[in-house]
Amino acid sequence: MKGLDPETWLKPVKAGKSPVAAVVAHLLFWDRFSLEKRFPFFKEDSELESFPEFQHVNDSAAEYAQKHAQIEIIEELIEVRKQFLRILKGMTEENLDTAFTIGNTALTIRDYFADFIEHDIHHKKQINQAAGIRV
């Protein structure tokens, strides 16, 4: 993403959709949310509150993307992801099977990260499409 030209960075991922910049900021905002409001509370049988209003978080991310430089947003995302990796490296297989609920949804830490990966893949496809990258 660091190599994307400014035109592509500001290009909508699809007609009528957010620009690449807002999608990357969206990833950053949801990653921060997970780091601050989810990971510290992943305990067996814990009951976590439902997710915040998605559109509010996404709108905040889009606004952030308009006010911050491409490299700054990307570097912030990389730093958060490094923290994720440190957390994951410190987990055992047993830790990954820790069960909890978010709202009415039962999950394990493994499930949470699987959803995260699917979310990333979805947005990576959007970004690649906007950038004209075929994989």
Side-chain angles (χ1 to χ4, degrees), residues 77-94:
L77 180 60
I78 290 169
E79 283 307 310
V80 171
R81 291 295 171 98
K82 285 179 181 177
Q83 291 178 54
F84 282 8
L85 286 174
R86 284 192 290 275
I87 290 167
L88 282 169
K89 284 180 180 178
M91 290 189 174
T92 64
E93 285 294 318
E94 187 176 298

Side-chain angles (χ1 to χ4, degrees), residues 100-116:
F100 55 92
T101 59
I102 296 177
N104 295 322
T105 305
L107 297 163
T108 64
I109 294 173
R110 187 183 313 272
D111 297 331
Y112 192 88
F113 277 102
D115 286 348
F116 228 88

